[in-house]
Amino acid sequence: DAGVIQSPRHEVTEMGQEVTLRCKPISGHNSLFWYRQTMMRGLELLIYFNNNVPIDDSGMPEDRFSAKMPNASFSTLKIQPSEPRDSAVYFCASSEPGSRANSPLHFGNGTRLTVT
Amino acid sequence: AQSVTQPDIHITVSEGASLELRCNYSYGATPYLFWYVQSPGQGLQLLLKYFSGDTLVQGIKGFEAEFKRSQSSFNLRKPSVHWSDAAEYFCAVGAFGNEKLTFGTGTRLTIIP
């Protein structure tokens, strides 16, 4: 089991550029979550998918943020255009099928995004 | 809405000493409670979870936590800490039928020799 795989590990970009973060969940997991971690706000849930369908995107901060899950093994989080305040560590997590909230989250190692 | 409070931002403990990290939650029904640990540069790893039944739950790495409904608490404990326990610890609350976990702000644990 390779775990949740995120890429890139680090991303440095200039304000206004498009940023795409990628996530491969654990095989067999049917729920996928995108979190953002900052010193000021801690861990925030941005969006989560169940069976590739977005269930709750109320945490997505602005229309500049979008997420897709075209299939069970891949998801992207896109920021366009990026701003310095988007600088954070972005985590992807997945969980296996089970009763809601009964399955623990498995986190990737995160993507550290720096927008200058 | 559910919420979690971790009142201690940073705790320093001597190696071999006991540890207790505090967590208080707010939720109208029976919560699902979790403790996660995050090492530097890593994602979060599940230490233990409580859904129902025995209020004292055992987790990995020698950690345990006790659910106290009357105090709305779910404190994490370890009898004797090791230098490798230095990390950030997060308490989280969820609920049946809701996959959204709400995380606390975390407690950073420093171990001194």
Side-chain angles (χ1 to χ4, degrees):
Chain A
D1 184 349
V4 175
I5 299 173
Q6 291 187 246
S7 64
R9 285 299 310 272
H10 301 274
E11 177 79 44
V12 180
T13 190
E14 292 184 348
M15 182 174 63
Q17 296 299 305
E18 177 179 297
V19 175
T20 299
L21 311 181
R22 297 173 176 79
C23 175
K24 177 178 168 55
I26 293 173
S27 177
H29 284 194
N30 70 336
S31 292
L32 184 140
F33 303 77
W34 282 100
Y35 282 87
R36 177 171 68 177
Q37 185 178 38
T38 61
M39 290 291 292
M40 292 297 295
R41 302 171 71 92
L43 267 167
E44 303 172 275
L45 177 64
L46 301 177
I47 185 172
Y48 79 93
F49 297 83
N50 190 260
N51 292 323
N52 312 337
V53 176
I55 302 300
D56 187 337
D57 66 354
S58 60
M60 297 286 261
E62 299 171 36
D63 290 345
R64 299 184 295 107
F65 286 70
S66 62
K68 295 182 179 179
M69 192 165 186
N71 56 62
S73 60
F74 184 65
S75 176
T76 59
L77 177 68
K78 185 178 293 186
I79 309 172
Q80 166 63 18
S82 58
E83 296 183 4
R85 60 196 168 114
D86 302 330
S87 298
V89 181
Y90 291 81
F91 286 103
C92 176
S94 68
S95 65
E96 60 189 43
S99 60
R100 298 288 179 89
N102 202 7
S103 302
L105 298 179
H106 296 257
F107 282 80
N109 286 333
T111 294
R112 181 174 294 278
L113 173 65
T114 302
V115 183
T116 61
Chain B
Q2 58 205 42
S3 66
V4 176
T5 302
Q6 293 182 248
D8 303 306
I9 297 174
H10 184 202
I11 284 183
T12 300
V13 177
S14 298
E15 189 168 15
S18 64
L19 170 71
E20 183 168 26
L21 302 182
R22 296 183 291 166
C23 172
N24 293 97
Y25 69 90
S26 174
Y27 184 66
T30 299
Y32 292 179
L33 295 160
F34 306 80
W35 274 100
Y36 285 83
V37 60
Q38 183 181 27
S39 298
Q42 305 291 315
L44 281 70
Q45 179 187 19
L46 180 70
L47 282 177
L48 49 79
K49 60 186 178 182
Y50 170 79
F51 294 144
S52 64
D54 193 348
T55 56
L56 184 64
V57 294
Q58 303 295 322
I60 62 171
K61 305 185 181 187
F63 285 92
E64 67 177 26
E66 186 171 12
F67 171 60
K68 293 186 177 181
R69 184 188 300 275
S70 62
Q71 299 177 19
S72 297
S73 69
F74 188 58
N75 295 348
L76 181 71
R77 301 194 295 249
K78 186 169 185 179
S80 176
V81 298
H82 185 261
W83 63 266
S84 61
D85 293 325
E88 186 126 20
Y89 291 79
F90 292 89
C91 183
V93 63
F96 180 78
N98 183 355
E99 290 179 291
K100 293 173 64 171
L101 288 187
T102 299
F103 284 84
T105 50
T107 297
R108 184 159 61 94
L109 175 64
T110 298
I111 308 295
I112 56 176

